[in-house]
């Protein structure tokens, strides 16, 4: 395996009201290509801040974030736009689909940005939504909407799939199906996956578990025997 992501000495503070608040403190981590990494930590520990920094959505104060060998903290705006388009797919807790576009159109929306996007009909099939291409988001369950958002994130074949509480709004059996789908996408396209969660159960499927506390990496542990999501307990 080769290294895809390396975060070194990252600090980030927010200026809220009078005094600055340190959301990330000297964060170091590195992730291999093809790994599934789960980031755990209490509310406010900096998980989303870290994910957004890695996704090139937010700036950090200092430190470096190398993705595929390039330090994205040095990128100018147009490099960052290209980076987000070409290298990263995002999945959020609230699916963020466009309500007046169909399943097909939601996925198609960003596909043209890629030089070699996945075939949309095939992808709709792969995420378990065969026959639903022409439905609108309101005609789908939460789990089905999350499948669309995963398809949308993956259609450009990003190297990094960043998921911020992807199962936060789903019941436990639907959560497992969604995690299973993320796992399948990881296997099929060798997509490196970072999943933020509050759910300790999700750590079973991870190759590695990173815990944040007060903006610092508290632990970074390899899981020697990841379990397939469909076999996970809970
Ligand atoms: N735009 C902002 N302005 C000021 N403070 C912020 C901002 N965004 C986040 N914070 C603060 O930074 C800290 C980390 O926030 P972050 O969203 O990264 O936490 P989190 O670990 O994702 O929490 P949760 O599990 O609740 O989503 C929190 O204390 C939060 O209040
Ligand atoms: Mg968060």
């Amino acid at each position: 395996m080769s290294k895809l992501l390396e975060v070194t000495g990252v600090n980030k503070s927010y200026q809220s009201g009078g005094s600055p608040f340190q959301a990330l403190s000297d964060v170091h981590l590195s992730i291999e290509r093809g790994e599934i990494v789960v980031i755990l930590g209490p509310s406010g520990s900096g998980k989303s801040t870290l994910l957004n920094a890695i996704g090139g959505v937010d700036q950090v104060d200092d430190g470096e974030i190398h993705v595929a060998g390039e330090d994205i903290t040095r990128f100018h705006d147009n490099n960052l736009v290209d980076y987000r388009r070409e290298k990263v797919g995002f999945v959020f807790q609230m699916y963020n689909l466009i309500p007046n576009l169909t399943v097909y159109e939601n996925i198609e929306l960003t596909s043209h940005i890629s030089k070699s996007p996945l075939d949309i009909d095939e992808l709709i099939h792969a995420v378990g939504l065969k026959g639903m291409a022409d439905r609108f988001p309101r005609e789908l369950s939460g789990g089905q909407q999350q499948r669309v958002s995963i398809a949308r994130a993956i259609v450009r074949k990003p190297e990094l799939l960043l998921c911020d509480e992807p199962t936060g709004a789903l019941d436990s059996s639907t959560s497992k199906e969604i995690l299973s789908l993320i796992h399948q996408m990881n296997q099929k396209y060798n997509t490196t996956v970072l999943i933020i969660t509050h759910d300790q159960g999700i750590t079973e499927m991870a190759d590695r578990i990173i815990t944040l506390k007060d903006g610092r990496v508290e632990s970074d542990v390899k899981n020697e025997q990841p379990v397939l999501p469909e076999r996970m307990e809970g």
Side-chain angles (χ1 to χ4, degrees):
M1 279 206 257
S2 64
K3 200 168 283 178
L4 178 65
L5 172 69
E6 186 159 36
V7 175
T8 24
V10 161
N11 289 292
K12 161 107 186 156
S13 58
Y14 289 111
Q15 200 72 41
S16 52
S19 51
F21 175 82
Q22 193 77 19
L24 295 175
S25 300
D26 195 27
V27 171
H28 291 260
L29 56 90
S30 91
I31 290 173
E32 307 283 317
R33 222 173 271 274
E35 262 191 313
I36 297 180
V37 175
V38 163
I39 300 178
L40 278 179
S43 182
S45 57
K47 304 182 298 296
S48 296
T49 303
L50 177 61
L51 207 76
N52 291 339
I54 292 169
V57 183
D58 258 355
Q59 303 277 9
V60 297
D61 301 340
D62 49 50
E64 296 176 7
I65 301 175
H66 287 264
V67 181
E70 286 190 288
D71 183 1
I72 66 161
T73 66
R74 290 173 178 271
F75 280 176
H76 295 291
D77 283 348
N78 48 352
N79 299 123
L80 267 180
V81 171
D82 289 345
Y83 166 72
R84 286 195 299 262
R85 285 176 169 178
E86 291 165 12
K87 299 265 160 74
V88 193
F90 272 102
V91 175
F92 302 97
Q93 176 174 357
M94 299 315 295
Y95 327 110
N96 293 355
L97 300 176
I98 298 182
N100 53 355
L101 296 183
T102 63
V103 166
Y104 191 99
E105 290 166 339
N106 264 285
I107 300 169
E108 186 184 36
L109 200 59
T110 59
S111 66
H112 67 279
I113 291 163
S114 167
K115 289 174 203 91
S116 54
L118 298 173
D119 180 84
I120 295 172
D121 287 309
E122 253 174 59
L123 188 56
I124 287 174
H125 194 178
V127 300
L129 295 174
K130 197 164 177 247
M132 299 188 191
D134 297 327
R135 290 209 201 170
F136 291 93
R138 65 173 177 277
E139 299 170 324
L140 301 173
S141 71
Q144 290 165 341
Q145 291 183 57
Q146 193 61 304
R147 289 169 185 275
V148 179
S149 80
I150 290 169
R152 180 188 54 188
I154 222 106
V155 67
R156 294 167 283 128
K157 289 192 279 184
E159 291 198 78
L160 253 180
L161 181 63
L162 303 176
C163 309
D164 196 341
E165 312 224 18
T167 63
L170 303 172
D171 64 46
S172 69
S173 78
T174 311
S175 294
K176 262 189 218 174
E177 288 170 22
I178 291 301
L179 295 170
S180 174
L181 175 61
I182 291 172
H183 183 258
Q184 285 164 35
M185 298 296 115
N186 159 264
Q187 294 291 299
K188 196 165 177 177
Y189 304 115
N190 198 34
T191 313
T192 306
V193 182
L194 254 74
I195 306 175
I196 288 182
T197 182
H198 280 110
D199 182 357
Q200 189 82 33
I202 294 182
T203 58
E204 284 184 67
M205 74 182 278
D207 296 308
R208 209 140 49 78
I209 300 130
I210 295 175
T211 309
L212 290 188
K213 193 183 174 197
D214 299 332
R216 292 177 187 277
V217 175
E218 192 185 41
S219 65
D220 185 337
V221 182
K222 196 168 167 55
N223 182 5
E224 295 299 342
Q225 284 181 311
V227 179
L228 286 177
E230 47 275 28
R231 302 241 173 86
M232 288 185 334
E233 290 177 25

